[in-house]
Amino acid sequence: MPTPSRRRQTRPDAPEAPDASDAPAVSTPRRRATIHDVAEHAGVSIGTVSRALNDRAGVHPDTRLRVLASAAALTYDPDKAARELSNRRAVDIALSVAHGYRRLTPFFGLFLQHLSEQLAVEGLQVREVASGDDGLPVRDADAFVLLDAHPDDPRIGHLARSGRAFVLVGHAHDVRCVAADDVAGGRIAAEHLLRLGHVDSVHLTADLHAQAFADRAHGFAAAFEAAGADQPTTIVADDASTLGGYRAMRAHLEGGTRPGAVFAATDELAIGCVTAAADLGLRVPSDLSVVGFDDLPELGARLTTVRQDIALLARETVTLLHEALAGAAVRAVRLPVTLVSRGTTAERRNR
Amino acid sequence: MPTPSRRRQTRPDAPEAPDASDAPAVSTPRRRATIHDVAEHAGVSIGTVSRALNDRAGVHPDTRLRVLASAAALTYDPDKAARELSNRRAVDIALSVAHGYRRLTPFFGLFLQHLSEQLAVEGLQVREVASGDDGLPVRDADAFVLLDAHPDDPRIGHLARSGRAFVLVGHAHDVRCVAADDVAGGRIAAEHLLRLGHVDSVHLTADLHAQAFADRAHGFAAAFEAAGADQPTTIVADDASTLGGYRAMRAHLEGGTRPGAVFAATDELAIGCVTAAADLGLRVPSDLSVVGFDDLPELGARLTTVRQDIALLARETVTLLHEALAGAAVRAVRLPVTLVSRGTTAERRNR
DNA sequence: CGATATCTCGTAAACGTTTACGCACGTGGG
DNA sequence: CCCACGTGCGTAAACGTTTACGAGATATCG
């Protein structure tokens, strides 16, 4: 076995360890182990270590085990910069939320989490989450993910004109985009409610300017029409927050009408709605059935809702990102939604 | 002048450009320019390019200009992975929000934005924003920033025990942490209100278990006591959302008491409070003065509030991060707050 | 039993940057 | 006029990975 070539250590700055005593004191911010350390520890070469850790073929099972053990013993964590550099994978992806983090809805928060997980799997990185006050991404990047965009968002035209790779999470014409099938979502919410006998439903939404909300409303209304039922009343809240939903619903209920069910365009609106009903002494679901949209984990643990698969949304986003980078043809994808029936809907009571 | 050594291009995969025709079509996802391209374009060496672009000494002004022009012409953007690798700056910083992005408050959203800007200035990266459902960061990193932590958050003990570098944004004993001076904030809110003649104020808050809220309440009450005024009533909302503030305040106002002023522990609570007052026909500020906390840009454009400097908070966080990495002594820092008086407070009316 | 295929692994090049070092020019003073 | 020196720049090493290539060892086959 050839002696492992000594690591070169020529750079003369080394500002880290003030006392370079070799004993690794318990809480010393220890130097990160590199692949060389693992190789030395396991008595193999760095090539073998890399192959073993990346599940590449051509390494003996025993050796692999030994390498894995060494890596664990040294708490080896591959340097991401080096890996990216070597992989030619250094794709900068800028995430552009219309107004930065500050207006991040729980839905987009969850999406972000899935997206960065998905990208991490491929060794990619979300490099930036920001946009200037003009809404334009503040730095240059190889690809952009646009959140929260109206069809006429200035960012779309800007990115398209400059030939940048980007994908829109939402829906618009002639751009690469991905979104849940909102129309279908509205429809299955309606069908669920109709099946329970609720012909007197209302739709609680906000800002029908937003494509997603318009589509959900449309799907909902269309299903009622198809069933020969009366068109549902639409209530438009000031915004899509829980407070918006609460006030709009409370005002509506206090107006004297007592719908048997409400389809909220968002889980947040639904929560506001449920809260308003409770404050007015109405029991959910016996007095009022409520269907939400999104299926956010902890927000509506007990909410009957139209579920969209956020993990899938993130995966599709990444797929489209790759297509954009490769210069493929523009494509719009619609993701299926399902109704998950939980505790906030029940059969219509006779009054 | 020595001929610039031809770039090596030996790697045989090159899955990118299907047709390697040299003419750069307008919307072709062009190969990123590297420092070598800039060097060739400007007729200098890569070392000179690097020095010119990084404002290092030892490059002739004329040359510098030429390099800058070439870089601009090629839209050169240095590869971050390579830069980090070379710089030994590859510090992985994990941001740990108690429950991931999903419960990100506007305040923390804004903080995140400032933090990543601040880190970007130093060439550092926030590598991950996530934590598992157990609240523990999901990957290993060189340093951690903990958000949203109660003093007895399990993450603190875990990180401390394992000797990791971390800083807590908030306040707890015996850990490196940074937060606004919440007690002072409560005090100046009280002093502002007292100055306007409001001796019958209430405090709207949520979850006094949270250190920040407890401190704000304490500072507020202490100032009233110091002024010889009656202790303010405290209203505890279900949560710190706008809806929480709305419901708590509405219930209180409907209970018959009509305080002249309220100090909300959060701008969000304050918004809910203002909305509740409006819905009950009370005018702000003539019927009810409202003071918030945080000074979130678009949320409370017209809100009188206790301002904390979020950019400063981010800068201090980075400073502490460096100290943590360097193994310095633990230190807790308190940031000053100021009262910004806007449209939601007025002098007490005689009734 | 010798030639050859197969498996395992070590070596080195490459990714794109920063920076220490040294060389070739000048310019100044003795 | 020569030497010392400063200025501007090119060269190459280094950061920590991945991976093509080739070499040695072992197994397989004629």
mmCIF file of all heavy atoms in Angstrom, chain C residues 6 9 14 22 25-26 28-30, chain D residues 1-3 5-6 9 17 22 25:
data_model
loop_
_atom_site.group_PDB
_atom_site.id
_atom_site.type_symbol
_atom_site.label_atom_id
_atom_site.label_comp_id
_atom_site.label_asym_id
_atom_site.label_seq_id
_atom_site.Cartn_x
_atom_site.Cartn_y
_atom_site.Cartn_z
ATOM 1 P P DT C 6 -15.722 -9.584 -18.242
ATOM 2 O OP1 DT C 6 -17.055 -10.198 -18.392
ATOM 3 O OP2 DT C 6 -15.420 -8.293 -18.897
ATOM 4 O "O5'" DT C 6 -15.375 -9.457 -16.707
ATOM 5 C "C5'" DT C 6 -15.200 -10.646 -15.920
ATOM 6 C "C4'" DT C 6 -14.942 -10.244 -14.476
ATOM 7 O "O4'" DT C 6 -13.517 -10.060 -14.275
ATOM 8 C "C3'" DT C 6 -15.614 -8.936 -14.052
ATOM 9 O "O3'" DT C 6 -16.270 -9.154 -12.826
ATOM 10 C "C2'" DT C 6 -14.457 -7.949 -13.932
ATOM 11 C "C1'" DT C 6 -13.302 -8.876 -13.543
ATOM 12 N N1 DT C 6 -11.949 -8.401 -13.932
ATOM 13 C C2 DT C 6 -10.911 -8.567 -13.050
ATOM 14 O O2 DT C 6 -11.031 -9.088 -11.969
ATOM 15 N N3 DT C 6 -9.693 -8.100 -13.499
ATOM 16 C C4 DT C 6 -9.431 -7.483 -14.706
ATOM 17 O O4 DT C 6 -8.311 -7.112 -15.002
ATOM 18 C C5 DT C 6 -10.572 -7.337 -15.572
ATOM 19 C C7 DT C 6 -10.398 -6.667 -16.912
ATOM 20 C C6 DT C 6 -11.769 -7.793 -15.154
ATOM 21 P P DC C 9 -11.707 -2.221 -2.222
ATOM 22 O OP1 DC C 9 -11.222 -2.645 -0.899
ATOM 23 O OP2 DC C 9 -13.051 -1.638 -2.388
ATOM 24 O "O5'" DC C 9 -10.636 -1.220 -2.836
ATOM 25 C "C5'" DC C 9 -9.247 -1.555 -2.752
ATOM 26 C "C4'" DC C 9 -8.462 -0.622 -3.648
ATOM 27 O "O4'" DC C 9 -9.004 -0.677 -4.990
ATOM 28 C "C3'" DC C 9 -8.488 0.857 -3.242
ATOM 29 O "O3'" DC C 9 -7.204 1.208 -2.808
ATOM 30 C "C2'" DC C 9 -8.892 1.588 -4.528
ATOM 31 C "C1'" DC C 9 -8.655 0.543 -5.607
ATOM 32 N N1 DC C 9 -9.512 0.720 -6.810
ATOM 33 C C2 DC C 9 -8.910 0.976 -8.043
ATOM 34 O O2 DC C 9 -7.670 1.027 -8.112
ATOM 35 N N3 DC C 9 -9.696 1.154 -9.133
ATOM 36 C C4 DC C 9 -11.016 1.087 -9.030
ATOM 37 N N4 DC C 9 -11.739 1.256 -10.135
ATOM 38 C C5 DC C 9 -11.650 0.830 -7.776
ATOM 39 C C6 DC C 9 -10.871 0.654 -6.700
ATOM 40 P P DA C 14 -7.019 18.271 -16.871
ATOM 41 O OP1 DA C 14 -7.148 17.848 -18.281
ATOM 42 O OP2 DA C 14 -5.937 19.184 -16.441
ATOM 43 O "O5'" DA C 14 -8.393 18.921 -16.392
ATOM 44 C "C5'" DA C 14 -9.596 18.148 -16.423
ATOM 45 C "C4'" DA C 14 -10.533 18.670 -15.362
ATOM 46 O "O4'" DA C 14 -10.120 18.182 -14.074
ATOM 47 C "C3'" DA C 14 -10.559 20.197 -15.216
ATOM 48 O "O3'" DA C 14 -11.744 20.696 -15.802
ATOM 49 C "C2'" DA C 14 -10.556 20.444 -13.721
ATOM 50 C "C1'" DA C 14 -10.648 19.055 -13.119
ATOM 51 N N9 DA C 14 -9.874 18.908 -11.892
ATOM 52 C C8 DA C 14 -8.549 19.157 -11.698
ATOM 53 N N7 DA C 14 -8.141 18.934 -10.473
ATOM 54 C C5 DA C 14 -9.274 18.508 -9.820
ATOM 55 C C6 DA C 14 -9.517 18.111 -8.494
ATOM 56 N N6 DA C 14 -8.565 18.091 -7.559
ATOM 57 N N1 DA C 14 -10.773 17.746 -8.172
ATOM 58 C C2 DA C 14 -11.711 17.765 -9.108
ATOM 59 N N3 DA C 14 -11.621 18.125 -10.392
ATOM 60 C C4 DA C 14 -10.355 18.481 -10.674
ATOM 61 P P DG C 22 9.690 33.644 -3.919
ATOM 62 O OP1 DG C 22 10.550 32.484 -3.626
ATOM 63 O OP2 DG C 22 9.795 34.892 -3.128
ATOM 64 O "O5'" DG C 22 9.864 34.008 -5.463
ATOM 65 C "C5'" DG C 22 9.316 33.145 -6.463
ATOM 66 C "C4'" DG C 22 9.275 33.871 -7.786
ATOM 67 O "O4'" DG C 22 8.144 34.769 -7.823
ATOM 68 C "C3'" DG C 22 10.504 34.755 -8.051
ATOM 69 O "O3'" DG C 22 10.812 34.662 -9.422
ATOM 70 C "C2'" DG C 22 10.013 36.140 -7.689
ATOM 71 C "C1'" DG C 22 8.580 36.057 -8.202
ATOM 72 N N9 DG C 22 7.676 37.040 -7.640
ATOM 73 C C8 DG C 22 7.622 37.477 -6.331
ATOM 74 N N7 DG C 22 6.688 38.373 -6.123
ATOM 75 C C5 DG C 22 6.089 38.537 -7.372
ATOM 76 C C6 DG C 22 5.019 39.378 -7.757
ATOM 77 O O6 DG C 22 4.377 40.154 -7.063
ATOM 78 N N1 DG C 22 4.733 39.240 -9.115
ATOM 79 C C2 DG C 22 5.390 38.398 -9.974
ATOM 80 N N2 DG C 22 4.973 38.400 -11.241
ATOM 81 N N3 DG C 22 6.387 37.601 -9.616
ATOM 82 C C4 DG C 22 6.685 37.729 -8.309
ATOM 83 P P DC C 25 11.202 42.766 -19.943
ATOM 84 O OP1 DC C 25 10.829 41.955 -21.103
ATOM 85 O OP2 DC C 25 12.637 42.895 -19.558
ATOM 86 O "O5'" DC C 25 10.578 44.225 -20.092
ATOM 87 C "C5'" DC C 25 11.200 45.274 -19.406
ATOM 88 C "C4'" DC C 25 10.185 45.943 -18.493
ATOM 89 O "O4'" DC C 25 10.272 45.351 -17.194
ATOM 90 C "C3'" DC C 25 10.473 47.425 -18.318
ATOM 91 O "O3'" DC C 25 9.583 48.158 -19.145
ATOM 92 C "C2'" DC C 25 10.216 47.702 -16.854
ATOM 93 C "C1'" DC C 25 9.975 46.325 -16.229
ATOM 94 N N1 DC C 25 10.844 46.062 -15.057
ATOM 95 C C2 DC C 25 10.504 46.624 -13.814
ATOM 96 O O2 DC C 25 9.498 47.351 -13.732
ATOM 97 N N3 DC C 25 11.287 46.373 -12.730
ATOM 98 C C4 DC C 25 12.359 45.576 -12.854
ATOM 99 N N4 DC C 25 13.092 45.348 -11.782
ATOM 100 C C5 DC C 25 12.723 44.997 -14.108
ATOM 101 C C6 DC C 25 11.956 45.260 -15.170
ATOM 102 P P DG C 26 10.160 49.423 -19.934
ATOM 103 O OP1 DG C 26 8.942 50.192 -20.290
ATOM 104 O OP2 DG C 26 11.114 48.990 -20.966
ATOM 105 O "O5'" DG C 26 10.982 50.277 -18.843
ATOM 106 C "C5'" DG C 26 10.603 51.614 -18.620
ATOM 107 C "C4'" DG C 26 9.972 51.766 -17.238
ATOM 108 O "O4'" DG C 26 10.280 50.596 -16.481
ATOM 109 C "C3'" DG C 26 10.508 52.951 -16.456
ATOM 110 O "O3'" DG C 26 9.521 53.985 -16.467
ATOM 111 C "C2'" DG C 26 10.741 52.449 -15.043
ATOM 112 C "C1'" DG C 26 10.571 50.945 -15.136
ATOM 113 N N9 DG C 26 11.754 50.186 -14.744
ATOM 114 C C8 DG C 26 12.627 49.512 -15.557
ATOM 115 N N7 DG C 26 13.578 48.899 -14.898
ATOM 116 C C5 DG C 26 13.309 49.181 -13.561
ATOM 117 C C6 DG C 26 13.985 48.789 -12.390
ATOM 118 O O6 DG C 26 14.992 48.091 -12.292
ATOM 119 N N1 DG C 26 13.379 49.309 -11.245
ATOM 120 C C2 DG C 26 12.259 50.109 -11.244
ATOM 121 N N2 DG C 26 11.802 50.512 -10.059
ATOM 122 N N3 DG C 26 11.604 50.470 -12.328
ATOM 123 C C4 DG C 26 12.189 49.974 -13.455
ATOM 124 P P DG C 28 11.665 59.344 -11.580
ATOM 125 O OP1 DG C 28 10.581 60.246 -11.122
ATOM 126 O OP2 DG C 28 12.428 59.643 -12.813
ATOM 127 O "O5'" DG C 28 12.706 59.142 -10.389
ATOM 128 C "C5'" DG C 28 12.216 58.880 -9.066
ATOM 129 C "C4'" DG C 28 13.372 58.380 -8.204
ATOM 130 O "O4'" DG C 28 13.890 57.178 -8.802
ATOM 131 C "C3'" DG C 28 14.553 59.363 -8.118
ATOM 132 O "O3'" DG C 28 14.518 60.018 -6.848
ATOM 133 C "C2'" DG C 28 15.801 58.499 -8.209
ATOM 134 C "C1'" DG C 28 15.289 57.125 -8.606
ATOM 135 N N9 DG C 28 15.877 56.639 -9.848
ATOM 136 C C8 DG C 28 15.633 57.093 -11.117
ATOM 137 N N7 DG C 28 16.303 56.435 -12.027
ATOM 138 C C5 DG C 28 17.038 55.497 -11.314
ATOM 139 C C6 DG C 28 17.941 54.518 -11.759
ATOM 140 O O6 DG C 28 18.293 54.270 -12.915
ATOM 141 N N1 DG C 28 18.466 53.780 -10.699
ATOM 142 C C2 DG C 28 18.149 53.969 -9.382
ATOM 143 N N2 DG C 28 18.742 53.163 -8.514
ATOM 144 N N3 DG C 28 17.300 54.883 -8.939
ATOM 145 C C4 DG C 28 16.784 55.609 -9.961
ATOM 146 P P DG C 29 15.679 61.101 -6.597
ATOM 147 O OP1 DG C 29 15.186 61.886 -5.450
ATOM 148 O OP2 DG C 29 16.050 61.769 -7.867
ATOM 149 O "O5'" DG C 29 16.930 60.226 -6.111
ATOM 150 C "C5'" DG C 29 16.803 59.412 -4.942
ATOM 151 C "C4'" DG C 29 18.087 58.623 -4.728
ATOM 152 O "O4'" DG C 29 18.381 57.850 -5.919
ATOM 153 C "C3'" DG C 29 19.318 59.494 -4.467
ATOM 154 O "O3'" DG C 29 20.112 58.894 -3.447
ATOM 155 C "C2'" DG C 29 20.069 59.486 -5.788
ATOM 156 C "C1'" DG C 29 19.705 58.129 -6.350
ATOM 157 N N9 DG C 29 19.694 58.104 -7.808
ATOM 158 C C8 DG C 29 19.127 59.030 -8.652
ATOM 159 N N7 DG C 29 19.279 58.734 -9.914
ATOM 160 C C5 DG C 29 20.005 57.547 -9.913
ATOM 161 C C6 DG C 29 20.466 56.758 -10.996
ATOM 162 O O6 DG C 29 20.324 56.970 -12.196
ATOM 163 N N1 DG C 29 21.155 55.639 -10.540
ATOM 164 C C2 DG C 29 21.360 55.314 -9.239
ATOM 165 N N2 DG C 29 22.031 54.193 -8.996
ATOM 166 N N3 DG C 29 20.931 56.044 -8.201
ATOM 167 C C4 DG C 29 20.261 57.146 -8.623
ATOM 168 P P DG C 30 21.129 59.801 -2.658
ATOM 169 O OP1 DG C 30 20.847 59.574 -1.221
ATOM 170 O OP2 DG C 30 21.071 61.167 -3.236
ATOM 171 O "O5'" DG C 30 22.545 59.181 -3.010
ATOM 172 C "C5'" DG C 30 22.900 57.903 -2.505
ATOM 173 C "C4'" DG C 30 24.005 57.310 -3.388
ATOM 174 O "O4'" DG C 30 23.516 57.203 -4.730
ATOM 175 C "C3'" DG C 30 25.242 58.206 -3.461
ATOM 176 O "O3'" DG C 30 26.267 57.646 -2.608
ATOM 177 C "C2'" DG C 30 25.716 58.083 -4.928
ATOM 178 C "C1'" DG C 30 24.589 57.356 -5.624
ATOM 179 N N9 DG C 30 24.075 58.081 -6.791
ATOM 180 C C8 DG C 30 23.410 59.286 -6.790
ATOM 181 N N7 DG C 30 23.069 59.671 -7.980
ATOM 182 C C5 DG C 30 23.552 58.685 -8.835
ATOM 183 C C6 DG C 30 23.479 58.558 -10.237
ATOM 184 O O6 DG C 30 22.960 59.361 -11.036
ATOM 185 N N1 DG C 30 24.094 57.384 -10.669
ATOM 186 C C2 DG C 30 24.690 56.452 -9.869
ATOM 187 N N2 DG C 30 25.215 55.401 -10.476
ATOM 188 N N3 DG C 30 24.753 56.551 -8.551
ATOM 189 C C4 DG C 30 24.162 57.691 -8.103
ATOM 190 P P DC D 1 26.340 56.160 -19.812
ATOM 191 O OP1 DC D 1 27.031 55.482 -20.899
ATOM 192 O OP2 DC D 1 24.971 56.654 -19.928
ATOM 193 O "O5'" DC D 1 26.444 55.325 -18.465
ATOM 194 C "C5'" DC D 1 27.696 54.819 -18.064
ATOM 195 C "C4'" DC D 1 27.516 53.993 -16.811
ATOM 196 O "O4'" DC D 1 26.967 54.837 -15.764
ATOM 197 C "C3'" DC D 1 26.531 52.830 -16.961
ATOM 198 O "O3'" DC D 1 26.981 51.767 -16.140
ATOM 199 C "C2'" DC D 1 25.229 53.404 -16.430
ATOM 200 C "C1'" DC D 1 25.749 54.264 -15.286
ATOM 201 N N1 DC D 1 24.867 55.400 -14.936
ATOM 202 C C2 DC D 1 24.725 55.776 -13.599
ATOM 203 O O2 DC D 1 25.362 55.136 -12.743
ATOM 204 N N3 DC D 1 23.913 56.812 -13.265
ATOM 205 C C4 DC D 1 23.263 57.465 -14.217
ATOM 206 N N4 DC D 1 22.480 58.495 -13.840
ATOM 207 C C5 DC D 1 23.394 57.124 -15.585
ATOM 208 C C6 DC D 1 24.195 56.092 -15.892
ATOM 209 P P DC D 2 26.698 50.266 -16.539
ATOM 210 O OP1 DC D 2 27.887 49.683 -17.182
ATOM 211 O OP2 DC D 2 25.399 50.277 -17.227
ATOM 212 O "O5'" DC D 2 26.526 49.619 -15.108
ATOM 213 C "C5'" DC D 2 27.424 49.998 -14.054
ATOM 214 C "C4'" DC D 2 26.697 49.940 -12.720
ATOM 215 O "O4'" DC D 2 25.868 51.116 -12.551
ATOM 216 C "C3'" DC D 2 25.778 48.743 -12.546
ATOM 217 O "O3'" DC D 2 25.929 48.217 -11.252
ATOM 218 C "C2'" DC D 2 24.377 49.326 -12.736
ATOM 219 C "C1'" DC D 2 24.577 50.731 -12.155
ATOM 220 N N1 DC D 2 23.627 51.734 -12.702
ATOM 221 C C2 DC D 2 23.070 52.691 -11.835
ATOM 222 O O2 DC D 2 23.380 52.693 -10.648
ATOM 223 N N3 DC D 2 22.197 53.607 -12.349
ATOM 224 C C4 DC D 2 21.880 53.582 -13.635
ATOM 225 N N4 DC D 2 21.026 54.512 -14.084
ATOM 226 C C5 DC D 2 22.425 52.621 -14.529
ATOM 227 C C6 DC D 2 23.269 51.719 -14.022
ATOM 228 P P DC D 3 25.560 46.694 -10.979
ATOM 229 O OP1 DC D 3 26.816 45.935 -10.942
ATOM 230 O OP2 DC D 3 24.476 46.315 -11.897
ATOM 231 O "O5'" DC D 3 24.967 46.782 -9.498
ATOM 232 C "C5'" DC D 3 25.414 47.821 -8.626
ATOM 233 C "C4'" DC D 3 24.244 48.309 -7.792
ATOM 234 O "O4'" DC D 3 23.481 49.295 -8.534
ATOM 235 C "C3'" DC D 3 23.247 47.219 -7.389
ATOM 236 O "O3'" DC D 3 22.955 47.364 -6.014
ATOM 237 C "C2'" DC D 3 22.026 47.495 -8.254
ATOM 238 C "C1'" DC D 3 22.105 49.025 -8.391
ATOM 239 N N1 DC D 3 21.421 49.569 -9.586
ATOM 240 C C2 DC D 3 20.684 50.767 -9.471
ATOM 241 O O2 DC D 3 20.631 51.323 -8.368
ATOM 242 N N3 DC D 3 20.069 51.268 -10.561
ATOM 243 C C4 DC D 3 20.148 50.630 -11.736
ATOM 244 N N4 DC D 3 19.531 51.167 -12.782
ATOM 245 C C5 DC D 3 20.872 49.418 -11.882
ATOM 246 C C6 DC D 3 21.486 48.926 -10.789
ATOM 247 P P DC D 5 17.012 47.987 -1.444
ATOM 248 O OP1 DC D 5 17.220 48.360 -0.024
ATOM 249 O OP2 DC D 5 16.994 46.571 -1.861
ATOM 250 O "O5'" DC D 5 15.682 48.670 -1.964
ATOM 251 C "C5'" DC D 5 15.709 50.021 -2.452
ATOM 252 C "C4'" DC D 5 14.488 50.266 -3.305
ATOM 253 O "O4'" DC D 5 14.795 49.977 -4.699
ATOM 254 C "C3'" DC D 5 13.272 49.386 -2.965
ATOM 255 O "O3'" DC D 5 12.157 50.218 -2.792
ATOM 256 C "C2'" DC D 5 13.109 48.479 -4.185
ATOM 257 C "C1'" DC D 5 13.639 49.394 -5.281
ATOM 258 N N1 DC D 5 14.062 48.701 -6.519
ATOM 259 C C2 DC D 5 13.648 49.215 -7.752
ATOM 260 O O2 DC D 5 12.953 50.234 -7.776
ATOM 261 N N3 DC D 5 14.017 48.570 -8.900
ATOM 262 C C4 DC D 5 14.760 47.471 -8.832
ATOM 263 N N4 DC D 5 15.116 46.884 -9.978
ATOM 264 C C5 DC D 5 15.188 46.925 -7.587
ATOM 265 C C6 DC D 5 14.825 47.558 -6.464
ATOM 266 P P DG D 6 10.880 49.749 -1.921
ATOM 267 O OP1 DG D 6 10.821 50.582 -0.701
ATOM 268 O OP2 DG D 6 10.897 48.280 -1.820
ATOM 269 O "O5'" DG D 6 9.678 50.189 -2.864
ATOM 270 C "C5'" DG D 6 9.675 51.510 -3.435
ATOM 271 C "C4'" DG D 6 8.830 51.502 -4.702
ATOM 272 O "O4'" DG D 6 9.534 50.790 -5.750
ATOM 273 C "C3'" DG D 6 7.462 50.826 -4.556
ATOM 274 O "O3'" DG D 6 6.508 51.617 -5.226
ATOM 275 C "C2'" DG D 6 7.654 49.467 -5.233
ATOM 276 C "C1'" DG D 6 8.674 49.809 -6.319
ATOM 277 N N9 DG D 6 9.525 48.703 -6.724
ATOM 278 C C8 DG D 6 10.246 47.869 -5.910
ATOM 279 N N7 DG D 6 10.942 46.974 -6.563
ATOM 280 C C5 DG D 6 10.654 47.234 -7.898
ATOM 281 C C6 DG D 6 11.111 46.587 -9.069
ATOM 282 O O6 DG D 6 11.892 45.638 -9.165
ATOM 283 N N1 DG D 6 10.568 47.164 -10.209
ATOM 284 C C2 DG D 6 9.702 48.224 -10.223
ATOM 285 N N2 DG D 6 9.297 48.634 -11.412
ATOM 286 N N3 DG D 6 9.262 48.846 -9.127
ATOM 287 C C4 DG D 6 9.778 48.298 -8.009
ATOM 288 P P DC D 9 -1.129 46.074 -14.751
ATOM 289 O OP1 DC D 9 -1.430 46.452 -16.132
ATOM 290 O OP2 DC D 9 -2.127 46.272 -13.676
ATOM 291 O "O5'" DC D 9 -0.666 44.568 -14.746
ATOM 292 C "C5'" DC D 9 0.191 44.110 -15.783
ATOM 293 C "C4'" DC D 9 0.773 42.782 -15.392
ATOM 294 O "O4'" DC D 9 1.314 42.856 -14.065
ATOM 295 C "C3'" DC D 9 -0.227 41.638 -15.356
ATOM 296 O "O3'" DC D 9 0.000 40.831 -16.500
ATOM 297 C "C2'" DC D 9 0.103 40.880 -14.071
ATOM 298 C "C1'" DC D 9 1.376 41.532 -13.582
ATOM 299 N N1 DC D 9 1.485 41.583 -12.104
ATOM 300 C C2 DC D 9 2.417 40.783 -11.482
ATOM 301 O O2 DC D 9 3.136 40.048 -12.160
ATOM 302 N N3 DC D 9 2.527 40.822 -10.122
ATOM 303 C C4 DC D 9 1.737 41.636 -9.423
ATOM 304 N N4 DC D 9 1.882 41.653 -8.101
ATOM 305 C C5 DC D 9 0.786 42.474 -10.052
ATOM 306 C C6 DC D 9 0.671 42.424 -11.383
ATOM 307 P P DT D 17 -14.711 17.270 1.514
ATOM 308 O OP1 DT D 17 -15.477 17.289 2.738
ATOM 309 O OP2 DT D 17 -13.535 16.377 1.400
ATOM 310 O "O5'" DT D 17 -15.747 16.991 0.342
ATOM 311 C "C5'" DT D 17 -15.398 16.129 -0.682
ATOM 312 C "C4'" DT D 17 -15.916 16.662 -1.978
ATOM 313 O "O4'" DT D 17 -14.893 17.470 -2.550
ATOM 314 C "C3'" DT D 17 -16.180 15.542 -2.956
ATOM 315 O "O3'" DT D 17 -17.559 15.303 -2.997
ATOM 316 C "C2'" DT D 17 -15.669 16.051 -4.279
ATOM 317 C "C1'" DT D 17 -14.781 17.243 -3.928
ATOM 318 N N1 DT D 17 -13.330 17.075 -4.237
ATOM 319 C C2 DT D 17 -12.900 17.234 -5.533
ATOM 320 O O2 DT D 17 -13.652 17.483 -6.462
ATOM 321 N N3 DT D 17 -11.553 17.082 -5.708
ATOM 322 C C4 DT D 17 -10.608 16.811 -4.736
ATOM 323 O O4 DT D 17 -9.429 16.719 -5.027
ATOM 324 C C5 DT D 17 -11.128 16.644 -3.414
ATOM 325 C C7 DT D 17 -10.196 16.353 -2.295
ATOM 326 C C6 DT D 17 -12.444 16.783 -3.224
ATOM 327 P P DG D 22 -5.897 4.745 -19.676
ATOM 328 O OP1 DG D 22 -5.065 5.294 -20.759
ATOM 329 O OP2 DG D 22 -6.987 3.787 -19.965
ATOM 330 O "O5'" DG D 22 -4.949 4.098 -18.566
ATOM 331 C "C5'" DG D 22 -4.209 4.952 -17.685
ATOM 332 C "C4'" DG D 22 -3.705 4.139 -16.514
ATOM 333 O "O4'" DG D 22 -4.766 3.943 -15.549
ATOM 334 C "C3'" DG D 22 -3.220 2.729 -16.888
ATOM 335 O "O3'" DG D 22 -2.105 2.421 -16.070
ATOM 336 C "C2'" DG D 22 -4.413 1.855 -16.518
ATOM 337 C "C1'" DG D 22 -4.910 2.566 -15.266
ATOM 338 N N9 DG D 22 -6.304 2.317 -14.948
ATOM 339 C C8 DG D 22 -7.353 2.232 -15.832
ATOM 340 N N7 DG D 22 -8.496 1.995 -15.246
ATOM 341 C C5 DG D 22 -8.184 1.931 -13.901
ATOM 342 C C6 DG D 22 -9.017 1.701 -12.777
ATOM 343 O O6 DG D 22 -10.231 1.518 -12.752
ATOM 344 N N1 DG D 22 -8.302 1.710 -11.578
ATOM 345 C C2 DG D 22 -6.942 1.913 -11.489
ATOM 346 N N2 DG D 22 -6.417 1.878 -10.271
ATOM 347 N N3 DG D 22 -6.150 2.129 -12.537
ATOM 348 C C4 DG D 22 -6.837 2.122 -13.701
ATOM 349 P P DA D 25 0.094 -7.125 -6.924
ATOM 350 O OP1 DA D 25 0.742 -7.047 -5.597
ATOM 351 O OP2 DA D 25 0.745 -7.787 -8.054
ATOM 352 O "O5'" DA D 25 -1.357 -7.770 -6.743
ATOM 353 C "C5'" DA D 25 -2.265 -7.183 -5.822
ATOM 354 C "C4'" DA D 25 -3.598 -7.892 -5.911
ATOM 355 O "O4'" DA D 25 -4.236 -7.555 -7.165
ATOM 356 C "C3'" DA D 25 -3.525 -9.422 -5.874
ATOM 357 O "O3'" DA D 25 -4.529 -9.895 -5.003
ATOM 358 C "C2'" DA D 25 -3.781 -9.842 -7.305
ATOM 359 C "C1'" DA D 25 -4.729 -8.741 -7.767
ATOM 360 N N9 DA D 25 -4.737 -8.508 -9.204
ATOM 361 C C8 DA D 25 -3.655 -8.358 -10.027
ATOM 362 N N7 DA D 25 -3.972 -8.145 -11.278
ATOM 363 C C5 DA D 25 -5.359 -8.164 -11.282
ATOM 364 C C6 DA D 25 -6.319 -8.004 -12.310
ATOM 365 N N6 DA D 25 -5.994 -7.771 -13.574
ATOM 366 N N1 DA D 25 -7.622 -8.087 -11.966
ATOM 367 C C2 DA D 25 -7.936 -8.310 -10.688
ATOM 368 N N3 DA D 25 -7.131 -8.476 -9.628
ATOM 369 C C4 DA D 25 -5.849 -8.392 -10.008
#
